[in-house]
Structures are given as structure tokens and as C-alpha cells.
Amino acid sequence: MSSSKQLFTDEAQPLKRSSSYEIMPPDMSELRVVVLGNSWSERSSVGNFILGKTEFNTEEAPDCCLRVRGQLKEKEIVLINTPDLLLPNISEDKLTEFIENCVSLSDPGPHVFLLVLHPEDFTEEHKKRLQTILELFSDQSFDHSLILISPHREESSGFMENYMNHPPLKEMIRMCRYRYLKQKNLELPELLTRLGQIVKENNGEHLSCDVCKNSATALPDDQPNPTQMENILDADETAGTSRMESSTSYHCK
């Protein structure tokens, strides 16, 4: 496993292949992951990859946050997939509303932000928008973030070999403490191991979200949110070495 010092250098490399399958400290029973990025299709594909089955529709982006709960061996993983928050036409009020919804679905707080970024489509405007979003959650969000770099569409161009020279992506990688993986040829244990490393680096603690401080009293603790609906799904399929059980929550307005 790479040391913390190595992770904070410009020469840091993606996590190498690992046979480890422990993603959380023994005293943790649930890992909550918020998925952000500049492509709904790619975010959903990554979510389905983690769950080992198709839970997210990759074709049609909803105007809401979606939560899927799955069981991985004896641990639970909760994925909160977000709508396309990097679009410039989303107002500040609407953006805050989306983030508050996301915080509600990840209560009491997310452990990791998984940033699924496609270098070709990740512009300077996207970088600034994503930075704003993470800061709205908390100024500590970058310490809980992992970048997953999507494959380049045309391998012959050599773009992926030079992605660190792509200014918006390079700067985002720096802000996320050089925590990143390449999606190409990525295997599930590698990704889960890296998520677990981030949890351990933060002493197993979830993020305390700043945005929820202003809305903490919006609803009584025992009062269900009327905009949240639970739909329990059967999960008899087996994915790799794990049996996944999942439920999907929709949080829309």
C-alpha cells in the first residue's frame, strides 16, 4: 500500500492491482459513496460496475439524486448517484437543493466522493463548478475524494498518456491530494481497496456536511421526507465474489 507521503507528490501513481477485498475498517458496517462527474452515463456505468448489476439507467439522466444500497460480503455499500450538477444552467438555489437532497440520502454523511471525470469533456468551467459543489458539501470534501479517470475515446491519439497536462483535470487531481485511478482495465477489488484506503486515511469518519447545518431543522427526525420514496428491489444475482442485495431510493422534486 502506498504511503500518505507518496500520495501527495506529482509523481504519485494510480493504485496498483491488489487482491485485498476489505473496503472498510472492521468496526464499520456501511460505506456511503457520492458519485459526481461530468457524464451521467459514465457515473451510472461505474455505479453498476461497483454493484455488479444494472441498477442505474445509463441512457436517461434523472432530475434527482438516486440511492442504491448493496451488500458486499458482510458489509453494506450505499451509492448516491447525482444528476448532471456541472451543467451551467443550474441555478445556485437549485444546486443547493440538489446537494441538500444528496446529504439527506447519505445521512449522517458520505465517506467518499467518487469523481468520475472524462478528460476530453472536463473543461475549466466544469472544474470550477465541481470545486464549488464539493465546497458546498464541506471544505473537507477534497480529503474524502477519489478521481476515477474515464478512458479516452481514441486510444491512438495518445491523450490519456498526457492527461496530467490537461490543466482542469491536473488541477482537480491536485486538489484531491493526487488520489486517482484510471478506469481502463480497472478491476473491482482495486477500486474497493482504494475507497477503503480513503476511509482509513480519514480515521473511518464520515464527512460532516456544512450545507445540512442550515437545513437540519427543516424536518423532524422522525418525520419521513415526502419527496423520498423507497423501492425495494430483488437481488438474487451474484456479482464476482459477492452477493449483492440492493434497494433504490429516489429523491426528486
Side-chain angles (χ1 to χ4, degrees):
M1 182 184 299
S2 299
S3 68
S4 299
K5 182 177 180 180
Q6 288 175 316
L7 291 172
F8 283 79
T9 67
D10 288 330
E11 301 301 323
Q13 296 296 318
L15 184 72
K16 295 181 179 179
R17 180 166 300 183
S18 171
S19 60
S20 173
Y21 209 62
E22 182 167 5
I23 62 174
M24 291 180 279
D27 59 337
M28 281 183 62
S29 61
E30 178 181 275
L31 173 67
R32 296 179 296 276
V33 179
V34 172
V35 188
L36 297 165
N38 57 322
S39 168
W40 165 260
S41 176
E42 292 177 10
R43 292 195 304 277
S44 298
S45 294
V46 170
N48 293 337
F49 171 68
I50 293 173
L51 295 168
K53 60 185 298 185
T54 302
E55 295 287 359
F56 297 110
N57 184 342
T58 60
E59 300 298 327
E60 185 176 353
D63 188 27
C64 60
C65 297
L66 302 181
R67 178 178 65 186
V68 173
R69 179 184 297 275
Q71 187 167 343
L72 204 60
K73 289 193 173 181
E74 297 179 354
K75 304 288 187 177
E76 287 194 337
I77 185 167
V78 178
L79 298 182
I80 299 96
N81 200 354
T82 56
D84 289 323
L85 301 182
L86 303 191
L87 295 177
N89 59 346
I90 300 178
S91 68
E92 183 176 343
D93 288 343
K94 188 67 174 178
L95 183 62
T96 301
E97 179 183 306
F98 277 134
I99 294 175
E100 288 176 347
N101 291 348
C102 185
V103 169
S104 176
L105 289 176
S106 62
D107 184 69
H111 294 101
V112 182
F113 292 98
L114 183 59
L115 313 181
V116 182
L117 305 181
H118 199 294
E120 288 174 287
D121 302 325
F122 190 62
T123 65
E124 179 67 21
E125 289 71 25
H126 286 148
K127 186 210 74 176
K128 291 179 180 178
R129 186 78 165 180
L130 183 54
Q131 181 179 357
T132 297
I133 290 168
L134 289 171
E135 289 173 347
L136 281 172
F137 277 101
S138 169
D139 57 5
Q140 301 298 315
S141 294
F142 298 99
D143 292 328
H144 292 257
S145 295
L146 171 66
I147 292 176
L148 184 60
I149 302 173
S150 299
H152 185 52
R153 298 189 184 96
E154 297 180 6
E155 296 296 336
S156 60
S157 70
F159 183 89
M160 279 305 294
E161 285 72 18
N162 298 311
Y163 66 86
M164 283 295 289
N165 293 323
H166 182 56
L169 181 60
K170 181 178 180 179
E171 177 63 12
M172 184 56 62
I173 289 174
R174 185 194 66 78
M175 287 190 288
C176 293
R177 323 302 188 229
Y178 298 94
R179 298 183 180 96
Y180 70 98
L181 287 172
K182 295 180 182 179
Q183 189 176 348
K184 183 181 178 182
N185 299 325
L186 180 65
E187 296 182 359
L188 183 58
E190 297 177 61
L191 177 55
L192 296 179
T193 298
R194 194 67 188 95
L195 294 175
Q197 287 179 348
I198 292 177
V199 172
K200 292 173 184 176
E201 288 167 10
N202 289 284
N203 300 315
E205 297 178 359
H206 62 74
L207 188 71
S208 178
C209 298
D210 296 336
V211 72
C212 64
K213 293 178 181 178
N214 296 327
S215 58
T217 59
L219 290 170
D221 291 342
D222 58 349
Q223 180 69 28
N225 191 322
T227 64
Q228 183 172 325
M229 176 177 64
E230 292 287 348
N231 179 26
I232 305 300
L233 304 176
D234 291 332
D236 293 327
E237 298 178 317
T238 299
T241 60
S242 304
R243 185 176 187 274
M244 303 300 302
E245 296 177 356
S246 61
S247 63
T248 305
S249 299
Y250 303 86
H251 204 196
C252 310
K253 288 190 176 182

mmCIF file of all heavy atoms in Angstrom, residues 114-145:
data_model
loop_
_atom_site.group_PDB
_atom_site.id
_atom_site.type_symbol
_atom_site.label_atom_id
_atom_site.label_comp_id
_atom_site.label_asym_id
_atom_site.label_seq_id
_atom_site.Cartn_x
_atom_site.Cartn_y
_atom_site.Cartn_z
ATOM 1 N N LEU A 114 -16.758 9.949 -5.132
ATOM 2 C CA LEU A 114 -16.127 9.328 -6.290
ATOM 3 C C LEU A 114 -16.385 10.232 -7.488
ATOM 4 O O LEU A 114 -17.527 10.371 -7.943
ATOM 5 C CB LEU A 114 -16.701 7.924 -6.522
ATOM 6 C CG LEU A 114 -16.078 7.116 -7.663
ATOM 7 C CD1 LEU A 114 -14.572 6.926 -7.447
ATOM 8 C CD2 LEU A 114 -16.773 5.761 -7.794
ATOM 9 N N LEU A 115 -15.333 10.859 -7.993
ATOM 10 C CA LEU A 115 -15.447 11.840 -9.078
ATOM 11 C C LEU A 115 -15.097 11.159 -10.392
ATOM 12 O O LEU A 115 -13.925 10.907 -10.681
ATOM 13 C CB LEU A 115 -14.518 13.028 -8.823
ATOM 14 C CG LEU A 115 -14.553 13.621 -7.401
ATOM 15 C CD1 LEU A 115 -13.594 14.800 -7.301
ATOM 16 C CD2 LEU A 115 -15.963 14.021 -7.003
ATOM 17 N N VAL A 116 -16.111 10.853 -11.188
ATOM 18 C CA VAL A 116 -15.917 10.168 -12.473
ATOM 19 C C VAL A 116 -15.756 11.238 -13.555
ATOM 20 O O VAL A 116 -16.722 11.897 -13.939
ATOM 21 C CB VAL A 116 -17.109 9.243 -12.787
ATOM 22 C CG1 VAL A 116 -16.864 8.496 -14.097
ATOM 23 C CG2 VAL A 116 -17.338 8.263 -11.641
ATOM 24 N N LEU A 117 -14.521 11.410 -14.012
ATOM 25 C CA LEU A 117 -14.206 12.516 -14.922
ATOM 26 C C LEU A 117 -13.686 12.003 -16.255
ATOM 27 O O LEU A 117 -12.843 11.111 -16.301
ATOM 28 C CB LEU A 117 -13.171 13.441 -14.289
ATOM 29 C CG LEU A 117 -13.527 14.007 -12.904
ATOM 30 C CD1 LEU A 117 -12.422 14.930 -12.412
ATOM 31 C CD2 LEU A 117 -14.871 14.735 -12.939
ATOM 32 N N HIS A 118 -14.204 12.597 -17.327
ATOM 33 C CA HIS A 118 -13.723 12.284 -18.671
ATOM 34 C C HIS A 118 -12.867 13.449 -19.140
ATOM 35 O O HIS A 118 -13.372 14.553 -19.352
ATOM 36 C CB HIS A 118 -14.897 12.054 -19.627
ATOM 37 C CG HIS A 118 -14.525 11.319 -20.858
ATOM 38 N ND1 HIS A 118 -13.669 11.831 -21.812
ATOM 39 C CD2 HIS A 118 -14.860 10.077 -21.288
ATOM 40 C CE1 HIS A 118 -13.512 10.955 -22.771
ATOM 41 N NE2 HIS A 118 -14.215 9.879 -22.490
ATOM 42 N N PRO A 119 -11.558 13.253 -19.301
ATOM 43 C CA PRO A 119 -10.668 14.367 -19.618
ATOM 44 C C PRO A 119 -11.078 15.168 -20.844
ATOM 45 O O PRO A 119 -10.973 16.395 -20.846
ATOM 46 C CB PRO A 119 -9.316 13.680 -19.838
ATOM 47 C CG PRO A 119 -9.392 12.421 -19.053
ATOM 48 C CD PRO A 119 -10.830 11.982 -19.147
ATOM 49 N N GLU A 120 -11.558 14.491 -21.883
ATOM 50 C CA GLU A 120 -11.928 15.198 -23.114
ATOM 51 C C GLU A 120 -13.042 16.206 -22.882
ATOM 52 O O GLU A 120 -13.097 17.246 -23.548
ATOM 53 C CB GLU A 120 -12.379 14.190 -24.169
ATOM 54 C CG GLU A 120 -11.253 13.352 -24.746
ATOM 55 C CD GLU A 120 -11.795 12.287 -25.670
ATOM 56 O OE1 GLU A 120 -12.381 11.318 -25.165
ATOM 57 O OE2 GLU A 120 -11.628 12.424 -26.891
ATOM 58 N N ASP A 121 -13.947 15.893 -21.966
ATOM 59 C CA ASP A 121 -15.125 16.731 -21.756
ATOM 60 C C ASP A 121 -15.047 17.561 -20.482
ATOM 61 O O ASP A 121 -15.976 18.312 -20.181
ATOM 62 C CB ASP A 121 -16.378 15.850 -21.692
ATOM 63 C CG ASP A 121 -16.564 15.014 -22.949
ATOM 64 O OD1 ASP A 121 -16.218 15.508 -24.034
ATOM 65 O OD2 ASP A 121 -17.033 13.860 -22.839
ATOM 66 N N PHE A 122 -13.970 17.425 -19.732
ATOM 67 C CA PHE A 122 -13.846 18.121 -18.456
ATOM 68 C C PHE A 122 -13.164 19.469 -18.685
ATOM 69 O O PHE A 122 -11.944 19.566 -18.808
ATOM 70 C CB PHE A 122 -13.058 17.271 -17.463
ATOM 71 C CG PHE A 122 -13.082 17.791 -16.050
ATOM 72 C CD1 PHE A 122 -14.271 17.890 -15.356
ATOM 73 C CD2 PHE A 122 -11.913 18.178 -15.419
ATOM 74 C CE1 PHE A 122 -14.303 18.367 -14.052
ATOM 75 C CE2 PHE A 122 -11.926 18.657 -14.128
ATOM 76 C CZ PHE A 122 -13.130 18.751 -13.441
ATOM 77 N N THR A 123 -13.974 20.521 -18.747
ATOM 78 C CA THR A 123 -13.486 21.849 -19.064
ATOM 79 C C THR A 123 -13.116 22.625 -17.799
ATOM 80 O O THR A 123 -13.366 22.185 -16.674
ATOM 81 C CB THR A 123 -14.558 22.635 -19.830
ATOM 82 O OG1 THR A 123 -15.690 22.841 -18.957
ATOM 83 C CG2 THR A 123 -15.013 21.872 -21.075
ATOM 84 N N GLU A 124 -12.552 23.790 -18.000
ATOM 85 C CA GLU A 124 -12.226 24.669 -16.883
ATOM 86 C C GLU A 124 -13.492 25.055 -16.125
ATOM 87 O O GLU A 124 -13.500 25.130 -14.888
ATOM 88 C CB GLU A 124 -11.514 25.925 -17.389
ATOM 89 C CG GLU A 124 -11.153 26.935 -16.311
ATOM 90 C CD GLU A 124 -10.096 26.419 -15.346
ATOM 91 O OE1 GLU A 124 -9.358 25.472 -15.689
ATOM 92 O OE2 GLU A 124 -10.004 26.981 -14.235
ATOM 93 N N GLU A 125 -14.586 25.280 -16.871
ATOM 94 C CA GLU A 125 -15.858 25.618 -16.237
ATOM 95 C C GLU A 125 -16.359 24.449 -15.380
ATOM 96 O O GLU A 125 -16.889 24.653 -14.285
ATOM 97 C CB GLU A 125 -16.897 25.981 -17.304
ATOM 98 C CG GLU A 125 -16.659 27.309 -17.992
ATOM 99 C CD GLU A 125 -15.453 27.285 -18.948
ATOM 100 O OE1 GLU A 125 -15.089 26.185 -19.442
ATOM 101 O OE2 GLU A 125 -14.872 28.362 -19.180
ATOM 102 N N HIS A 126 -16.193 23.224 -15.899
ATOM 103 C CA HIS A 126 -16.578 22.052 -15.123
ATOM 104 C C HIS A 126 -15.758 21.953 -13.842
ATOM 105 O O HIS A 126 -16.291 21.625 -12.774
ATOM 106 C CB HIS A 126 -16.370 20.779 -15.952
ATOM 107 C CG HIS A 126 -17.392 20.582 -17.014
ATOM 108 N ND1 HIS A 126 -17.113 19.964 -18.207
ATOM 109 C CD2 HIS A 126 -18.702 20.939 -17.070
ATOM 110 C CE1 HIS A 126 -18.207 19.930 -18.952
ATOM 111 N NE2 HIS A 126 -19.179 20.519 -18.284
ATOM 112 N N LYS A 127 -14.476 22.221 -13.958
ATOM 113 C CA LYS A 127 -13.604 22.141 -12.776
ATOM 114 C C LYS A 127 -14.059 23.128 -11.706
ATOM 115 O O LYS A 127 -14.161 22.769 -10.516
ATOM 116 C CB LYS A 127 -12.157 22.433 -13.172
ATOM 117 C CG LYS A 127 -11.144 22.240 -12.032
ATOM 118 C CD LYS A 127 -9.957 23.161 -12.169
ATOM 119 C CE LYS A 127 -10.347 24.587 -11.801
ATOM 120 N NZ LYS A 127 -9.203 25.521 -11.825
ATOM 121 N N LYS A 128 -14.335 24.369 -12.105
ATOM 122 C CA LYS A 128 -14.765 25.379 -11.150
ATOM 123 C C LYS A 128 -16.106 24.996 -10.526
ATOM 124 O O LYS A 128 -16.332 25.188 -9.332
ATOM 125 C CB LYS A 128 -14.873 26.738 -11.843
ATOM 126 C CG LYS A 128 -13.521 27.320 -12.257
ATOM 127 C CD LYS A 128 -13.700 28.650 -12.967
ATOM 128 C CE LYS A 128 -12.354 29.242 -13.384
ATOM 129 N NZ LYS A 128 -12.524 30.520 -14.120
ATOM 130 N N ARG A 129 -16.983 24.447 -11.346
ATOM 131 C CA ARG A 129 -18.300 24.039 -10.862
ATOM 132 C C ARG A 129 -18.169 22.894 -9.851
ATOM 133 O O ARG A 129 -18.797 22.908 -8.791
ATOM 134 C CB ARG A 129 -19.154 23.603 -12.047
ATOM 135 C CG ARG A 129 -20.602 23.294 -11.724
ATOM 136 C CD ARG A 129 -21.396 24.561 -11.580
ATOM 137 N NE ARG A 129 -22.828 24.304 -11.615
ATOM 138 C CZ ARG A 129 -23.751 25.244 -11.515
ATOM 139 N NH1 ARG A 129 -23.390 26.509 -11.374
ATOM 140 N NH2 ARG A 129 -25.018 24.951 -11.558
ATOM 141 N N LEU A 130 -17.348 21.915 -10.196
ATOM 142 C CA LEU A 130 -17.148 20.771 -9.306
ATOM 143 C C LEU A 130 -16.496 21.206 -7.993
ATOM 144 O O LEU A 130 -16.857 20.731 -6.915
ATOM 145 C CB LEU A 130 -16.300 19.711 -9.997
ATOM 146 C CG LEU A 130 -16.047 18.411 -9.219
ATOM 147 C CD1 LEU A 130 -17.353 17.782 -8.763
ATOM 148 C CD2 LEU A 130 -15.251 17.438 -10.073
ATOM 149 N N GLN A 131 -15.561 22.123 -8.085
ATOM 150 C CA GLN A 131 -14.921 22.650 -6.880
ATOM 151 C C GLN A 131 -15.956 23.338 -5.984
ATOM 152 O O GLN A 131 -15.966 23.137 -4.762
ATOM 153 C CB GLN A 131 -13.827 23.648 -7.267
ATOM 154 C CG GLN A 131 -13.081 24.234 -6.073
ATOM 155 C CD GLN A 131 -11.980 25.209 -6.500
ATOM 156 O OE1 GLN A 131 -11.732 25.409 -7.684
ATOM 157 N NE2 GLN A 131 -11.333 25.815 -5.534
ATOM 158 N N THR A 132 -16.842 24.122 -6.595
ATOM 159 C CA THR A 132 -17.895 24.796 -5.842
ATOM 160 C C THR A 132 -18.815 23.794 -5.163
ATOM 161 O O THR A 132 -19.194 23.958 -3.991
ATOM 162 C CB THR A 132 -18.714 25.711 -6.770
ATOM 163 O OG1 THR A 132 -17.870 26.734 -7.307
ATOM 164 C CG2 THR A 132 -19.871 26.363 -6.019
ATOM 165 N N ILE A 133 -19.171 22.737 -5.894
ATOM 166 C CA ILE A 133 -20.064 21.712 -5.348
ATOM 167 C C ILE A 133 -19.429 21.041 -4.126
ATOM 168 O O ILE A 133 -20.063 20.887 -3.085
ATOM 169 C CB ILE A 133 -20.411 20.676 -6.432
ATOM 170 C CG1 ILE A 133 -21.320 21.307 -7.487
ATOM 171 C CG2 ILE A 133 -21.072 19.439 -5.820
ATOM 172 C CD1 ILE A 133 -21.495 20.472 -8.731
ATOM 173 N N LEU A 134 -18.178 20.644 -4.265
ATOM 174 C CA LEU A 134 -17.504 19.988 -3.145
ATOM 175 C C LEU A 134 -17.390 20.917 -1.949
ATOM 176 O O LEU A 134 -17.564 20.499 -0.797
ATOM 177 C CB LEU A 134 -16.120 19.514 -3.585
ATOM 178 C CG LEU A 134 -16.103 18.319 -4.560
ATOM 179 C CD1 LEU A 134 -14.694 18.078 -5.089
ATOM 180 C CD2 LEU A 134 -16.645 17.061 -3.886
ATOM 181 N N GLU A 135 -17.128 22.194 -2.201
ATOM 182 C CA GLU A 135 -17.017 23.148 -1.109
ATOM 183 C C GLU A 135 -18.370 23.402 -0.440
ATOM 184 O O GLU A 135 -18.424 23.709 0.759
ATOM 185 C CB GLU A 135 -16.419 24.460 -1.624
ATOM 186 C CG GLU A 135 -14.931 24.330 -1.974
ATOM 187 C CD GLU A 135 -14.371 25.574 -2.647
ATOM 188 O OE1 GLU A 135 -15.180 26.433 -3.060
ATOM 189 O OE2 GLU A 135 -13.133 25.675 -2.762
ATOM 190 N N LEU A 136 -19.470 23.283 -1.212
ATOM 191 C CA LEU A 136 -20.793 23.419 -0.615
ATOM 192 C C LEU A 136 -21.074 22.275 0.358
ATOM 193 O O LEU A 136 -21.725 22.485 1.390
ATOM 194 C CB LEU A 136 -21.865 23.457 -1.711
ATOM 195 C CG LEU A 136 -22.044 24.787 -2.443
ATOM 196 C CD1 LEU A 136 -22.996 24.621 -3.614
ATOM 197 C CD2 LEU A 136 -22.561 25.864 -1.493
ATOM 198 N N PHE A 137 -20.593 21.083 0.035
ATOM 199 C CA PHE A 137 -20.714 19.980 0.985
ATOM 200 C C PHE A 137 -19.906 20.287 2.235
ATOM 201 O O PHE A 137 -20.419 20.244 3.348
ATOM 202 C CB PHE A 137 -20.201 18.678 0.356
ATOM 203 C CG PHE A 137 -21.192 17.962 -0.506
ATOM 204 C CD1 PHE A 137 -21.132 18.050 -1.890
ATOM 205 C CD2 PHE A 137 -22.184 17.179 0.070
ATOM 206 C CE1 PHE A 137 -22.042 17.376 -2.687
ATOM 207 C CE2 PHE A 137 -23.098 16.496 -0.718
ATOM 208 C CZ PHE A 137 -23.029 16.600 -2.106
ATOM 209 N N SER A 138 -18.625 20.590 2.043
ATOM 210 C CA SER A 138 -17.731 20.887 3.164
ATOM 211 C C SER A 138 -16.368 21.263 2.610
ATOM 212 O O SER A 138 -15.972 20.782 1.543
ATOM 213 C CB SER A 138 -17.592 19.677 4.087
ATOM 214 O OG SER A 138 -16.549 19.875 5.017
ATOM 215 N N ASP A 139 -15.630 22.087 3.349
ATOM 216 C CA ASP A 139 -14.272 22.400 2.910
ATOM 217 C C ASP A 139 -13.330 21.214 3.108
ATOM 218 O O ASP A 139 -12.175 21.259 2.705
ATOM 219 C CB ASP A 139 -13.735 23.651 3.612
ATOM 220 C CG ASP A 139 -13.749 23.515 5.138
ATOM 221 O OD1 ASP A 139 -14.088 22.429 5.644
ATOM 222 O OD2 ASP A 139 -13.408 24.503 5.813
ATOM 223 N N GLN A 140 -13.837 20.155 3.757
ATOM 224 C CA GLN A 140 -13.043 18.933 3.936
ATOM 225 C C GLN A 140 -13.333 17.890 2.855
ATOM 226 O O GLN A 140 -12.788 16.786 2.903
ATOM 227 C CB GLN A 140 -13.336 18.321 5.313
ATOM 228 C CG GLN A 140 -13.029 19.240 6.485
ATOM 229 C CD GLN A 140 -11.559 19.620 6.566
ATOM 230 O OE1 GLN A 140 -10.700 18.762 6.416
ATOM 231 N NE2 GLN A 140 -11.287 20.892 6.781
ATOM 232 N N SER A 141 -14.193 18.229 1.891
ATOM 233 C CA SER A 141 -14.608 17.250 0.883
ATOM 234 C C SER A 141 -13.439 16.694 0.084
ATOM 235 O O SER A 141 -13.437 15.510 -0.298
ATOM 236 C CB SER A 141 -15.619 17.880 -0.078
ATOM 237 O OG SER A 141 -16.826 18.192 0.588
ATOM 238 N N PHE A 142 -12.447 17.515 -0.199
ATOM 239 C CA PHE A 142 -11.324 17.075 -1.040
ATOM 240 C C PHE A 142 -10.517 15.975 -0.353
ATOM 241 O O PHE A 142 -9.899 15.148 -1.018
ATOM 242 C CB PHE A 142 -10.431 18.267 -1.388
ATOM 243 C CG PHE A 142 -11.147 19.331 -2.172
ATOM 244 C CD1 PHE A 142 -11.643 20.455 -1.537
ATOM 245 C CD2 PHE A 142 -11.339 19.193 -3.541
ATOM 246 C CE1 PHE A 142 -12.329 21.436 -2.250
ATOM 247 C CE2 PHE A 142 -12.015 20.166 -4.266
ATOM 248 C CZ PHE A 142 -12.521 21.291 -3.628
ATOM 249 N N ASP A 143 -10.536 15.955 0.984
ATOM 250 C CA ASP A 143 -9.839 14.896 1.716
ATOM 251 C C ASP A 143 -10.581 13.563 1.624
ATOM 252 O O ASP A 143 -10.029 12.522 1.979
ATOM 253 C CB ASP A 143 -9.681 15.271 3.193
ATOM 254 C CG ASP A 143 -8.716 16.430 3.386
ATOM 255 O OD1 ASP A 143 -7.771 16.546 2.585
ATOM 256 O OD2 ASP A 143 -8.913 17.219 4.327
ATOM 257 N N HIS A 144 -11.822 13.602 1.159
ATOM 258 C CA HIS A 144 -12.647 12.399 1.051
ATOM 259 C C HIS A 144 -12.901 12.028 -0.413
ATOM 260 O O HIS A 144 -13.796 11.229 -0.685
ATOM 261 C CB HIS A 144 -13.991 12.613 1.754
ATOM 262 C CG HIS A 144 -13.898 12.736 3.242
ATOM 263 N ND1 HIS A 144 -14.236 11.708 4.105
ATOM 264 C CD2 HIS A 144 -13.495 13.773 4.026
ATOM 265 C CE1 HIS A 144 -14.059 12.106 5.353
ATOM 266 N NE2 HIS A 144 -13.613 13.353 5.334
ATOM 267 N N SER A 145 -12.143 12.598 -1.327
ATOM 268 C CA SER A 145 -12.436 12.428 -2.756
ATOM 269 C C SER A 145 -11.438 11.535 -3.473
ATOM 270 O O SER A 145 -10.244 11.560 -3.188
ATOM 271 C CB SER A 145 -12.467 13.801 -3.448
ATOM 272 O OG SER A 145 -13.534 14.593 -2.960
#
